Amino acid sequence: MTADAPPPSPRRNHEGALARLARACARHRWRTVVAWVVAIVAIVAGSATVGGTLVDEFTIPNSDAQRAVDLLEERFPQQSGDAAQVVFAVPEGGRLDEGDARSAVTAALEEAAAVPGVERVGDPFGGSAGALSEAGRIAFADVQYSQPTFDIPKESIDRLQEDLRAATEGTGVQVEFTGPVIQGSEEPETGTSELLGLLAAVIILLFMLGGAVAAGLPIVMALLSVGVGLSLLTLAAAVTNFNTITPVLATMLGLGVGIDYALFIVTRFRQGIHDGLGAEDAAAAAAATAGRAVVFAGATVAISISSLAVIGLDFITKLGLGAAITVVTAVTAAITLLPAILSLLGHRIDRLRVPFLRSRDDSHESRERSALARWGRFVTRNAPACAIAAVALLVVLALPVGAVQLGSSDAGTNPPDTTTRKAYDLLAEGFGAGFNGPLLVAVQQERDPGAAEHLAAVLRDTPGVDSVPDPTVNEAGDTAVVTVFPTTSPQSAETRDLVEELRGAVVPEALAGTGATAFVGGQTAAFDDVAQRIGERLPLFLLSVIGITFVLMSMAFRSIAVALKAAVTTLMSAFASFGILIAVFQWGWLQGLIGLDRTGPIESFLPVIVFSILFGLSMDYEVFLVSRIREEYVHGAGARPAITRGIAAIGRVVVAAALIMSVVFLSFLLGEDRIIKEFGLALGMAILIDAFVVRLLLVPAVMHLMDERMWYIPGWLDRALPRLTIEPPTSEERDDAGEEPPPPARAPAPVPEEG
């Protein structure tokens, strides 16, 4: 034994329910694999036969926009459905109301009226639910459906577009489509994002692990977890509604955590194999040690995402629950199926090595001489400077948050080659930007049948209003719809100000003394209500996420300092990533690199979803790193030596896991959907910042500065909190003479730096 090598530790028998489960799965490996195969077949078959479909149901309880929808559904069902908007155009110098162009438009609208589910079709030449631009080159007509978008069969929407394009083919008339029906039916597409993300993950794993078998196993586990998770999501959709973007978010999150959790356990397994353990013992030990951190990390992610229910908006709650399904699936596979596979592989985990990469030794001695070990010693030697530098960088990145504009981006930010973007540009050119986001005022007027007419006259004279057509009244005459076209685009701050002005002053004053009531709705107003609801519930949401996680971390690490540090540093990571998001999507910095040509507000629901996901994922790295540091600490190392030993043991895994997860997230920037791009950039940058700036720089520096105080917990709190330890309970094996082995040594002698 060299002077630098640590003294051998006694072999430990891991105890507890997880250790027993891991041992059983590793020992009965074929039974475990067969049980998983049967379960997968049953879940996939059930999903294909009785699974539901995803719909974009959108409700905002106790909001003005929702009251407008409810009123129309009850009294004016013809107006309660959603509409598609058909936009026609001819080249410069032509007119749509003359000759063959008019005939083509008329034929197209007749085809629209014949589409199943269509209630009525507007007339751009007669001014009924349609209009012709002043120059005569651009026109639009509303195609009113009797149902909301999520109830309209996609076949009907596809037929509308196909039949109208066929009717105008060869006539020189351009036809494009927009409106809630069209926009709601466009399912988010990620293209080759997942494949490119997985390819990048494979390359990173090959460099880290050095062999195709070890590198391929986390990928296989992640794909399996995502496949099973999405099948479970489809089964759940048979019971309740999930938004169409849910599978994209679930896939994004499932791939990331699936690879990370498997990588963590595979790395611990290889360390056991290289330290001389047999296949079954190494698999059981890996799942009993690293598996506990995986369970805790996965539970933290699931709890953080599920806390979205506090917001009180069903579609946001379902987004979180749908994504949590893949996380729970990934954890279950990692602690049951993976130990069985590792037990089967044994030393073959190092097979199919990459020829040009040197063989990696994951033994303790090798880890202490790695680049990450040297990095850990550098950070702890220069702890004050490293802490100050990390905090300064995070503050600079977070500066744009002060100028955030929450709202809803409109079709004007869609890719230029999409029909909704072309329709948006044509309407803005022919009628003004406000035509792309009309406000719908639902008027309850049984006490004053002329209230809607009076309100429309008042609205026409309101600053910020471009035009107001005559109200549409139901047969009973007790309910009317007043359509208001603003002068500004749907995503502009001026339009949101107009909504507040109408609700707060114009409408109440216009209807005062009439006995009539009115509710300002429409898509723009609805997103304003979403932003307001999120703002109202944000303190409670943050308290629930941070509070629950703080308690769990205190229970797990028996330290209030560790829990507080985790919460504060994660908030710093979140603000830094939001700053980057705002700079790109709202300010337009480098937006051309990710396929955008126009700026817009940040989706009002996106920050809380990103924060809940980030808070859970950042806890992953916190748990992975600090649990290994604490494991070294409780088994003999002092507070400061445990930091460098923990980084040496797990730092490479954190680096690889963060690179893989960030690449998976950032690959979604290659898709066309703006919201998916926002999620991809926010989460990808958040993971990079959290892993490299926070967990591997700020955290070890702070822990070094606090020394033994980092593990302090008041006696009364220690007694009050339930025992939930991440490091597994163990019992030391006796030697052949039946005597207890010697106690574990304290910290090993410092390893001299190379070079």
Side-chain angles (χ1 to χ4, degrees):
M1 181 185 302
T2 66
D4 296 331
S9 298
R11 180 181 171 186
R12 301 185 180 98
N13 286 327
H14 299 289
E15 299 176 344
L18 181 59
R20 291 191 295 271
L21 175 64
R23 174 67 65 178
C25 292
R27 180 169 295 164
H28 305 290
R29 38 194 177 269
W30 281 115
R31 294 182 189 176
T32 303
V33 172
V34 170
W36 263 93
V37 171
V38 171
I40 291 171
V41 171
I43 292 171
V44 172
S47 171
T49 54
V50 300
T53 56
L54 304 174
V55 295
D56 286 322
E57 187 176 21
F58 188 81
T59 59
I60 316 168
N62 301 317
S63 68
D64 219 43
Q66 189 62 46
R67 293 186 187 100
V69 172
D70 294 342
L71 176 62
L72 295 179
E73 285 182 347
E74 178 186 353
R75 298 189 178 185
F76 206 166
Q78 296 89 345
Q79 287 288 327
S80 65
D82 286 325
Q85 206 165 51
V86 186
V87 183
F88 302 96
V90 290
E92 291 287 349
R95 292 188 64 89
L96 283 167
D97 56 350
E98 298 176 351
D100 293 341
R102 180 166 186 147
S103 299
V105 171
T106 302
L109 295 179
E110 289 174 355
E111 291 290 340
V115 174
V118 172
E119 185 75 20
R120 71 175 187 280
V121 178
D123 179 9
F125 307 121
S128 173
L132 181 69
S133 68
E134 186 175 347
R137 193 180 76 83
I138 300 169
F140 78 90
D142 291 334
V143 178
Q144 182 69 43
Y145 279 82
S146 58
Q147 297 173 303
T149 300
F150 58 84
D151 284 337
I152 301 173
K154 193 172 187 306
E155 295 77 15
S156 175
I157 302 173
D158 291 341
R159 177 178 166 180
L160 175 70
Q161 298 184 61
E162 292 168 2
D163 289 357
L164 268 65
R165 291 192 188 282
T168 56
E169 186 176 3
T171 65
V173 176
Q174 176 187 359
V175 59
E176 304 296 345
F177 302 86
T178 187
V181 168
I182 304 300
Q183 295 172 16
S185 68
E186 293 180 329
E187 296 184 1
E189 296 182 2
T190 57
T192 58
S193 298
E194 298 99 327
L195 294 178
L196 293 175
L198 287 175
L199 177 61
V202 169
I203 294 173
I204 294 170
L205 287 170
L206 283 172
F207 273 92
M208 177 195 172
L209 300 174
V213 174
L217 191 52
I219 300 294
V220 171
M221 294 299 298
L223 291 174
L224 184 146
S225 299
V226 169
V228 173
L230 292 180
S231 296
L232 290 172
L233 176 62
T234 304
L235 284 173
V239 180
T240 185
N241 291 332
F242 287 90
N243 192 286
T244 53
I245 201 175
T246 307
V248 179
L249 191 61
T251 300
M252 192 185 301
L253 190 57
L255 287 176
V257 300
I259 294 174
D260 277 12
Y261 294 166
L263 173 62
F264 194 42
I265 293 177
V266 167
T267 301
R268 194 62 181 262
F269 171 77
R270 294 176 80 235
Q271 290 174 357
I273 288 287
H274 295 174
D275 281 333
L277 293 179
E280 181 182 317
D281 289 336
T289 52
R292 290 177 70 89
V294 165
V295 170
F296 187 84
T300 305
V301 175
I303 290 172
S304 296
I305 300 176
S306 300
S307 296
L308 288 167
V310 173
I311 298 296
L313 294 174
D314 190 62
F315 78 98
I316 291 181
T317 300
K318 299 291 182 58
L319 272 175
L321 293 178
I325 290 175
T326 56
V327 176
V328 174
T329 305
V331 171
T332 305
I335 62 175
T336 56
L337 178 60
L338 185 55
I341 295 175
L342 291 174
S343 182
L344 285 169
L345 287 174
H347 287 272
R348 286 173 292 184
I349 191 70
D350 292 325
R351 292 278 183 89
L352 301 178
R353 303 203 62 83
V354 179
F356 59 85
L357 293 179
R358 65 180 178 84
S359 178
R360 292 192 179 277
D361 179 8
D362 277 334
S363 64
H364 190 109
E365 292 84 352
S366 176
R367 296 196 302 270
E368 287 295 327
R369 291 176 171 80
S370 66
L372 264 299
R374 295 195 297 273
W375 170 256
R377 292 192 287 271
F378 169 81
V379 172
T380 53
R381 280 200 312 268
N382 303 278
C386 289
I388 292 172
V391 171
L393 177 60
L394 293 171
V395 169
V396 170
L397 292 175
L399 287 177
V401 173
V404 64
Q405 177 187 344
L406 297 179
S408 173
S409 57
D410 54 36
T413 60
N414 289 353
D417 58 346
T418 59
T419 187
T420 50
R421 170 64 181 276
K422 292 175 182 177
Y424 180 98
D425 291 341
L426 288 171
L427 286 173
E429 178 186 347
F431 304 96
F435 263 75
N436 286 290
L439 305 176
L440 302 178
V441 183
V443 185
Q444 188 174 349
Q445 58 174 16
E446 64 268 21
R447 296 182 182 178
D448 184 354
E453 290 285 354
H454 172 67
L455 178 60
V458 172
L459 291 173
R460 292 187 185 104
D461 294 330
T462 301
V465 173
D466 182 79
S467 62
V468 179
D470 292 336
T472 304
V473 185
N474 66 349
E475 291 184 4
D478 60 359
T479 305
V481 177
V482 180
T483 304
V484 180
F485 292 100
T487 57
T488 51
S489 68
Q491 69 179 22
S492 69
E494 291 83 358
T495 303
R496 290 195 298 278
D497 292 340
L498 175 62
V499 171
E500 294 179 5
E501 177 68 16
L502 295 184
R503 287 174 170 175
V506 176
V507 173
E509 291 174 4
L511 298 181
T514 65
T517 56
F519 309 105
V520 180
Q523 192 174 47
T524 303
F527 276 101
D528 189 58
D529 289 336
V530 170
Q532 183 178 356
R533 175 64 57 84
I534 291 174
E536 292 171 352
R537 299 290 183 89
L538 186 60
L540 182 59
F541 166 73
L542 293 176
L543 182 63
S544 63
V545 174
I546 298 173
I548 293 173
T549 306
F550 180 84
V551 172
L552 288 175
M553 296 290 285
S554 298
M555 291 165 56
F557 292 110
R558 317 311 294 179
S559 166
I560 58 173
V562 168
L564 181 62
K565 168 187 60 63
V568 172
T569 54
T570 301
L571 282 172
M572 297 171 73
S573 297
F575 277 104
S577 64
F578 289 154
I580 295 174
L581 181 71
I582 292 164
V584 174
F585 284 85
Q586 187 176 313
W587 294 356
W589 292 8
L590 304 177
Q591 65 174 359
L593 296 179
I594 59 173
L596 297 176
D597 65 339
R598 288 185 182 175
T599 60
I602 306 300
E603 253 59 33
S604 55
F605 58 82
L606 186 134
V608 290
I609 297 176
V610 169
F611 177 79
S612 64
I613 294 174
L614 171 61
F615 209 87
L617 294 179
S618 66
M619 289 301 107
D620 283 6
Y621 300 126
E622 177 78 7
V623 169
F624 292 166
L625 179 62
V626 179
S627 65
R628 191 56 185 264
I629 293 174
R630 179 167 173 80
E631 186 177 337
E632 298 290 342
Y633 176 73
V634 300
H635 289 129
R640 284 176 170 169
I643 298 171
T644 55
R645 291 178 66 178
I647 292 175
I650 203 65
R652 189 155 56 94
V653 179
V654 172
V655 169
L659 287 175
I660 291 168
M661 189 175 287
S662 61
V663 165
V664 169
F665 288 154
L666 292 174
S667 68
F668 283 82
L669 289 171
L670 301 175
E672 292 189 348
D673 189 88
R674 175 187 170 89
I675 297 177
I676 293 176
K677 287 177 183 287
E678 287 183 83
F679 274 116
L681 181 66
L683 290 172
M685 294 308 301
I687 293 301
L688 287 176
I689 293 168
D690 193 79
F692 291 98
V693 180
V694 173
R695 306 303 155 195
L696 291 176
L697 180 60
L698 182 58
V699 166
V702 170
M703 293 184 73
H704 182 85
L705 292 172
M706 293 192 69
D707 199 12
E708 293 284 348
R709 295 186 298 274
M710 178 56 65
W711 304 108
Y712 169 75
I713 185 171
W716 64 269
L717 184 59
D718 189 32
R719 292 187 296 271
L721 288 176
R723 292 282 170 180
L724 175 63
T725 57
I726 293 181
E727 68 279 354
T730 59
S731 62
E732 311 295 350
E733 287 192 345
R734 299 176 183 274
D735 59 22
D736 294 338
E739 298 178 352
E740 294 286 350
R746 296 299 293 178
V751 178
E753 295 201 36
E754 299 176 4

